[in-house]
Amino acid sequence: MMSFRKVTIRPIFLALVLALSANGRLRGQDQVLVVDGATLINGTGKPPVADAVVVMESGRIKAAGARGSVAVPAGAKVINGRGKTLLPGLIDAHIHYLDFTPQMFLRFGVTTVVDTANPTEWILAQRDALKDGKIKGPRMFATGLVIDGPLPPGEEPDAAELSGYKIRVKTSEEARVATRKVIRHGVDAVKVHEALSTELLQAVVEEAHRAGLEVEIGRAHV
């Protein structure tokens, strides 16, 4: 008979992002921040560094390494990291943001997210509020609405279309107009779905590249 025992999972990640909110900057100041004593996983594949010291200034890492190899600047704010693990922020490259999710991302060490379908003006307002520190949460990149081709025979509109943040185009000119419109809002990339023909997709890609943006291709899902 298999037995189970209750396991309490304790957070091991140092919540550095809480101190470095507002898109990685200390709000209203350039105070030097030091994380002292944590085990550092630096993301290079090298072994973790025990009892590490990490120095940050204006949201940038200035120095990191084992104790004794990194000097702690005078006047720095020191966070006690003993017993915790410090690692680079995780990135979730495909989310659909909801207004209650920002703090959840931070809680689990996700410091950057890419929102790949939401009403354009609303999601960009959320992105900018995160950047300005009005909302505590991860840095966000956003695509806004989805550009798609004609609805295939027999298929039903998906959630994005029913919610009004998918636009369907039938001609290359419609595709170009739709792409230019979403770009004018200030998106970070352009999102398309799989019903676009090669010709329609080419029109979207050309307009996006002309604006210096990439195109993300996805498939409709619920």
Side-chain angles (χ1 to χ4, degrees), residues 22-23 97 113 115 120-135 137-144 182-189 213:
N23 194 22
Y97 180 97
V113 295
D115 185 276
T120 305
E121 294 184 8
W122 179 79
I123 194 60
L124 294 184
Q126 303 302 307
R127 178 199 66 184
D128 294 345
L130 287 164
K131 181 178 180 180
D132 295 338
K134 296 176 181 177
I135 300 174
R139 175 175 57 172
M140 180 195 291
F141 298 95
T143 65
V182 73
I183 288 172
R184 283 197 297 270
H185 281 289
V187 297
D188 300 299
L213 300 180

Side-chain angles (χ1 to χ4, degrees), residues 14 35-39 79-85:
L14 185 64
V35 180
D36 179 67
T39 297
I79 294 178
N80 183 357
R82 290 178 179 81
K84 295 181 173 63
T85 300

Side-chain angles (χ1 to χ4, degrees), residues 154-172:
E155 287 195 15
E156 297 292 330
D158 61 19
E161 188 167 2
L162 292 173
S163 299
Y165 56 92
K166 172 186 279 192
I167 183 171
R168 292 191 178 274
V169 296
K170 298 179 180 179
T171 67
S172 293

